[in-house]
Amino acid sequence: MRTVVVTNPPRADAALADALAGYGVATVHEAMGRTGYLGPSIRPVHLGSRIGGSAVTVLSWPGDNLMIHVAVEQCRPGDVLVVATTSPSTDGMFGELFATALQHRGVRGLVIDAGVRDVAELHAMGFPVWSAAVSAQGTVKATPGSVNVPVTIGGQVIRPGDTILADDDGVLRVRREDAASAVAAARARAEKEEATREAFRRGELGLDRYGLRARLPGLGIDYVEYEDS
């Protein structure tokens, strides 16, 4: 593995990242054809946060947070730090001291395919984190890795400068070059969902709105009176 720090990579458009965050992970995921989701193992440490930003990526060895220290220097306002490891790890590689440094640099949050700790402090300081684990297990600072290279989490390749969306439903990667089209698709889906929401408020059933009723007989679903069941 080449150990390298790539400086000044291209970054996601901040306005597009903000727009996508406003629609939320689930809506954007559906609008993009259900692509880019990092999977259910990356979960929010605390509920209630919704962010969008430009990925600064880190590839670390398991149980070693040296490269997170290296990456802090590369972060700018509006970034989201994304950390992967070369093999599975649940050690607590990140805590409130890291969060303090990143907040100072305007970083919007952390996504890490490993563990975090200092959960109460992270919550109190309002620094949002999505992780694969919570663990008090500490780490070392000894092994070189890389910053701002492509990393893989949950089968999704994340490049520096890709847009990262994260909320209570999980984390989504939108390729930097797809962000504008993703906003248009998310807007269309949100408008469609609002029309459906209004229809449901009027009492319309999903069976009819989605054209499902006519499909039931073909699926072998019969309606029978209780006395005949």
Side-chain angles (χ1 to χ4, degrees):
M1 182 183 77
R2 184 186 181 196
T3 55
V4 63
V5 177
V6 178
T7 61
N8 299 315
R11 278 176 159 78
D13 183 286
L16 294 176
D18 289 343
L20 288 169
Y23 290 114
V25 166
T27 294
V28 178
H29 181 238
E30 293 286 349
M32 293 175 56
R34 299 182 180 177
T35 61
Y37 176 47
L38 271 56
S41 65
I42 306 299
R43 305 178 62 182
V45 171
H46 295 103
L47 298 179
S49 295
R50 175 177 285 191
I51 65 170
S54 185
V56 169
T57 62
V58 181
L59 184 59
S60 291
W61 284 76
D64 193 314
N65 66 7
L66 171 65
M67 298 312 294
I68 301 179
H69 284 280
V70 175
V72 171
E73 184 180 26
Q74 303 303 316
C75 291
R76 298 179 184 173
D79 286 342
V80 176
L81 190 63
V82 179
V83 180
T85 54
T86 56
S87 60
S89 176
T90 58
D91 294 341
M93 296 176 63
F94 183 99
E96 61 95 7
L97 293 178
F98 269 137
T100 299
L102 291 177
Q103 270 193 336
H104 174 74
R105 303 183 78 86
V107 173
R108 292 181 171 178
L110 170 78
V111 174
I112 182 169
D113 193 13
V116 298
R117 59 186 187 175
D118 301 334
V119 169
E121 289 81 1
L122 292 172
H123 181 59
M125 64 192 298
F127 188 82
V129 170
W130 290 257
S131 73
V134 172
S135 175
Q137 179 64 49
T139 59
V140 299
K141 302 168 179 60
T143 314
S146 296
V147 175
N148 281 330
V149 299
V151 299
T152 302
I153 298 178
Q156 303 297 324
V157 176
I158 303 166
R159 304 166 307 167
D162 281 345
T163 301
I164 299 298
L165 310 178
D167 61 20
D168 291 352
D169 294 329
V171 182
L172 187 71
R173 182 269 294 147
V174 178
R175 297 194 310 164
R176 184 169 55 89
E177 57 268 36
D178 295 337
S181 61
V183 169
R187 181 185 303 115
R189 181 167 183 86
E191 291 171 352
K192 180 180 179 181
E193 289 179 347
E194 179 57 27
T196 299
R197 189 175 297 109
E198 287 301 319
F200 286 171
R201 286 170 177 157
R202 296 193 301 270
E204 186 175 353
L205 296 174
L207 281 174
D208 301 311
R209 186 162 187 87
Y210 298 138
L212 302 175
R213 190 181 301 278
R215 295 170 51 190
L216 299 184
L219 295 173
I221 299 175
D222 296 321
Y223 284 78
V224 297
E225 292 291 337
Y226 177 81
E227 293 79 4
D228 300 327
S229 62

